[in-house]
Amino acid sequence: TLSLHDALPIWGRCSGRGTSPRWVTRWSRTPPLASRESRHMAGLIINPLLQQRELLAGKAVFHDASLGVVAVGGEDRLEWLHGVLSQNLKSLRAGDSVEALLLDPQGHIEQDIHLVIDADSVWLWVGAERGESLRAWFERMIFRSQVTITDESNRYALIATFGSPLALAEFHWSDPWPGTVAGGYRYATDVVADSQWAYVENLVPIGQVDAVFADLQPAGTMALDALRVAAKRPAEPELDERSLPHELDLLATAVHLSKGCYRGQETVA
């Protein structure tokens, strides 16, 4: 197991004000998730420091091979999602992207969801191991609402870039971190510069993935996670059944504190 002390030259330090003690402890015993990496990494000599620089310069991308995608359609889609997630979705327009949480009744995080608004659908994605549970929970919550739930995981790949979205992407999600969105609140005072984490996730059709790597180099999990930890950006692998939005500073980007009732709101608000 890679300890945080041993990994400091690669990962960068993540201590200081505004950093969750539990976050640091988890990374000290959790190795990189190699299963997320693209087949395009096979056979390459890994130089995480070089890959970090290439990611920030827009010369490399990260292909996340672990993805669960759900499309929510129907005329009630925004109002219905607004009622079950932590973010204010009613006023969003096509092309907007947000982060939202699905909480349990005690306010613990069950899902950290990335959403993109399309003209007639809302696209949501999480890690592959959480995708099926998200889809199943959504289907149980439909009742009389005019919504449809579709699993689109086999149609798309997630490719992460810095700065600009990919031309081949059908949808892209711009990470609101390290900012504070409308209706949010940030506890941390030592926030990194926007340029340090200008992170974008691109949904690219499976058949177009090879075309992306015709012009760009692949980067590995260690390089991406080093940049993420340096930006103090919490991520899905760090969540467990005890995680609360406050301790990971997710009130800043994934919660609207003035919206109506939703499951777990009492703990958050």
Side-chain angles (χ1 to χ4, degrees):
T1 300
L2 185 68
S3 72
L4 184 62
H5 180 270
D6 294 337
L8 281 176
I10 298 174
W11 297 78
R13 298 182 180 272
C14 60
S15 61
R17 295 173 61 190
T19 301
S20 163
R22 283 178 57 197
W23 180 14
V24 176
T25 302
R26 287 177 190 169
W27 275 115
S28 69
R29 63 174 184 265
T30 305
L33 300 180
S35 61
R36 291 171 53 204
E37 292 184 349
S38 165
R39 60 182 174 81
H40 295 88
M41 293 294 296
L44 294 182
I45 297 175
I46 305 302
N47 184 337
L49 295 177
L50 175 61
Q51 289 179 358
Q52 289 174 47
R53 292 193 291 269
E54 290 179 336
L55 280 168
L56 292 175
K59 298 178 180 179
V61 298
F62 174 76
H63 176 196
D64 193 336
S66 175
L67 181 66
V69 182
V70 174
V72 178
E75 61 184 64
D76 296 338
R77 61 190 180 278
L78 284 178
E79 183 174 359
W80 180 76
L81 285 168
H82 180 89
V84 297
L85 300 179
S86 64
Q87 192 55 267
N88 186 346
L89 304 179
K90 284 186 176 181
S91 61
L92 298 181
R93 298 291 182 265
D96 290 343
S97 65
V98 295
E99 180 181 17
L101 305 175
L102 177 63
L103 305 176
D104 72 9
Q106 289 74 44
H108 300 109
I109 302 170
E110 289 189 351
Q111 302 275 4
D112 184 355
I113 307 168
H114 300 173
L115 299 90
V116 173
I117 311 302
D118 191 19
D120 51 14
S121 299
V122 180
W123 296 79
L124 310 91
W125 56 89
V126 294
E129 69 282 359
R130 295 174 181 263
E132 176 57 28
S133 63
L134 178 65
R135 183 198 60 77
W137 191 86
F138 276 172
E139 289 186 342
R140 291 197 300 270
M141 294 295 110
I142 292 176
F143 301 112
R144 298 176 63 181
S145 298
Q146 299 300 306
V147 297
T148 60
I149 311 295
T150 308
D151 184 353
E152 301 284 0
S153 304
N154 293 329
R155 290 183 56 197
Y156 293 99
L158 189 152
I159 298 183
T161 57
F162 280 79
S164 301
L166 294 170
L168 292 173
E170 287 196 9
F171 310 101
H172 71 272
W173 178 83
S174 297
D175 194 348
W177 193 277
T180 302
V181 301
Y185 179 83
R186 182 174 293 281
Y187 289 102
T189 57
D190 55 342
V191 181
V192 302
D194 290 347
S195 59
Q196 189 171 336
W197 185 252
Y199 176 73
V200 180
E201 291 184 347
N202 304 267
L203 281 193
V204 176
I206 292 291
Q208 297 293 319
V209 171
D210 287 344
V212 172
F213 289 98
D215 300 315
L216 297 166
Q217 294 297 313
T221 307
M222 293 180 71
L224 179 64
D225 279 346
L227 295 174
R228 182 183 62 77
V229 171
K232 304 173 184 177
R233 196 354 165 177
E236 187 179 85
E238 295 158 5
L239 302 179
D240 62 22
E241 69 281 356
R242 301 171 299 159
S243 299
L244 294 167
H246 313 66
E247 65 181 347
L248 297 174
D249 220 3
L250 287 174
L251 295 187
T253 56
V255 174
H256 196 292
L257 293 172
S258 299
K259 63 166 286 187
C261 186
Y262 56 93
R263 190 175 70 164
Q265 182 193 21
E266 292 80 2
T267 299
V268 169

